Amino acid sequence: MAIEKETLKAMIRDFHGFDISDEELDLVKPALDNYLAQVEKLRELDLSSVMSSRLLRAKEGGEL
């Protein structure tokens, strides 16, 4: 899922980011595209059999 240059510029502007030239954006864009590809892979993981860590609690007091 690639993001268009104009979309990136609008996001940077909306979040009050640094001004960035087209050349600088070209340097950052491959890393961002790679990051988004990795996020898409994570979305495809079947985690239905993995217990949520929010359900686990550490035993307090240092005793097992």
Side-chain angles (χ1 to χ4, degrees), residues 1 28-42:
M1 169 185 182
V28 173
K29 195 164 177 349
L32 181 59
D33 289 340
N34 184 44
Y35 175 80
L36 292 173
Q38 297 304 315
V39 168
E40 288 301 318
K41 286 182 184 179
L42 289 174

Side-chain angles (χ1 to χ4, degrees), residues 2-3 6 15 25 27 32 37 43 48 50 53 55 60-61 64:
I3 298 178
E6 293 308 315
F15 286 99
L25 199 54
L27 293 173
L32 181 59
R43 286 185 182 171
S48 60
V50 176
S53 62
L55 299 175
E60 297 192 21
L64 297 177

